[in-house]
């Protein structure tokens, strides 16, 4: 029946293989660890820069503790943790079970 539409079995299998490869790439790109880690690193840098030169009023509000500096460093550490975790244990590709496709 697939020959009537101009597609051979080889063409269909090649297309399925291409789609599976694209799906695996999309799963790696949109891994939540990458998004969370990147945002924590970005915000950590911003908050750490704000904490490097604190004003006297912000230190008085926090009873002498430089909250921006410590929070920024903590956010940086957490973001780097997520990115290292992503690098050490990448997302496994999704395996499609051909028998349970409902065919």
């Amino acid at each position: 029946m697939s020959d009537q539409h101009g597609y051979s079995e080889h063409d269909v299998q090649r297309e399925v293989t291409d789609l599976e490869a694209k799906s695996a790439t999309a799963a790696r790109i949109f891994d939540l660890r990458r998004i969370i880690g990147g945002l924590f690193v970005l915000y950590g840098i911003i908050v750490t820069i704000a904490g490097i030169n604190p004003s006297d009023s912000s230190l008085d509000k926090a009873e002498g503790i430089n909250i921006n500096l410590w929070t920024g460093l903590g956010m940086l550490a957490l973001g780097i943790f997520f990115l290292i975790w992503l690098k050490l244990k990448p997302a496994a590709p999704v395996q499609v079970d051909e028998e349970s496709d409902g065919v």
Side-chain angles (χ1 to χ4, degrees):
M1 183 192 248
S2 63
D3 291 332
Q4 294 174 355
H5 297 288
Y7 298 110
S8 68
E9 185 67 30
H10 183 280
D11 292 336
V12 172
Q13 289 298 327
R14 187 180 65 228
E15 185 70 24
V16 168
T17 304
D18 290 343
L19 289 173
E20 286 175 349
K22 289 177 184 177
S23 175
T25 301
R28 282 193 303 272
I29 289 172
F30 294 110
D31 189 353
L32 283 178
R33 294 175 293 181
R34 180 183 313 265
I35 296 168
I36 292 170
L39 285 174
F40 266 103
V41 167
L42 177 68
Y43 293 145
I45 290 170
I46 293 169
V47 174
T48 301
I49 289 172
I52 290 176
N53 293 320
S55 64
D56 291 334
S57 64
S58 67
L59 286 176
D60 289 340
K61 288 180 192 176
E63 298 180 5
I65 299 171
N66 192 348
I67 291 177
N68 285 338
L69 181 65
W70 289 109
T71 303
L73 292 174
M75 292 173 79
L76 274 172
L78 184 64
I80 290 170
F81 166 75
F82 270 95
L83 294 176
I84 290 173
W85 179 22
L86 175 70
K87 190 72 167 172
L88 293 178
K89 189 172 172 97
V94 177
Q95 297 296 326
V96 178
D97 187 16
E98 294 179 12
E99 294 176 8
S100 66
D101 285 343
V103 178

